[in-house]
Amino acid sequence: MTRADHPARLAGQASREAASAKRKEEWLALFAEDACVEDPVGPSGFDPEGKGHRGIEAISRFYDMTIGNTESLEFLIDDSLVCGNENVNIGTVRSTVAGAQIDAEGVFIYRVNDAGKITSLRAFWEVDRAMKTLRQV
């Protein structure tokens, strides 16, 4: 196995591709049944208690609140590292919603199980910092 075909890296790439193309069912199929999505990590408007979205049903609702509401979603990855069963990406997620664009710079971590399914997706980005990039397009 090379770093390019590492299971966690492949899962992260597939997740970003499906999300960008707005292929919800394909995106959901990448996750293990008991997976957890924390985006962003901690309490937020998407997750007031900061416990994450656990299980496919909760992840599906997260998709509807976030990815499903975008006009476009672009992942600009500056660096990608793999360690153990995880892939860490450093970069920016650019979202366009209602004619406005926002950039969320951060660190995005995918963990996979032995079957290559995503068990954890954790996104570290600051809402206030991202809001400062808000602009009309």
Side-chain angles (χ1 to χ4, degrees):
M1 170 177 57
T2 67
R3 292 293 189 205
D5 65 0
H6 188 284
R9 178 167 284 142
L10 294 175
Q13 289 170 341
S15 171
R16 292 188 300 276
E17 289 169 9
S20 293
K22 303 199 62 172
R23 295 189 300 256
K24 180 180 178 180
E25 295 308 316
E26 181 179 324
W27 188 73
L28 291 173
L30 297 169
F31 290 88
E33 288 297 319
D34 61 347
C36 185
V37 171
E38 298 172 83
D39 186 355
V41 170
S44 72
F46 305 126
D47 180 12
E49 294 183 14
K51 294 181 179 178
H53 308 274
R54 189 169 303 280
I56 298 300
E57 187 175 314
I59 294 170
S60 177
R61 286 192 303 272
F62 167 80
Y63 179 101
D64 293 340
M65 281 189 298
T66 58
I67 298 166
N69 284 322
T70 63
E71 294 166 21
S72 68
L73 194 59
E74 185 178 2
F75 296 88
L76 309 167
I77 303 301
D78 297 321
D79 204 357
S80 180
L81 307 161
V82 291
C83 295
N85 62 347
E86 299 186 65
N87 173 224
V88 176
N89 296 281
I90 302 160
T92 302
V93 178
R94 179 168 291 154
S95 304
T96 304
V97 179
Q101 202 167 68
I102 189 169
D103 291 341
E105 296 175 303
V107 175
F108 311 94
I109 304 172
Y110 298 84
R111 180 183 301 141
V112 298
N113 61 19
D114 290 341
K117 294 281 192 171
I118 299 169
T119 60
S120 173
L121 168 52
R122 301 183 81 211
F124 293 82
W125 59 278
E126 297 176 12
V127 174
D128 292 346
R129 184 173 168 168
M131 290 306 293
K132 291 178 182 176
T133 71
L134 184 65
R135 62 207 175 271
Q136 295 299 310
V137 290

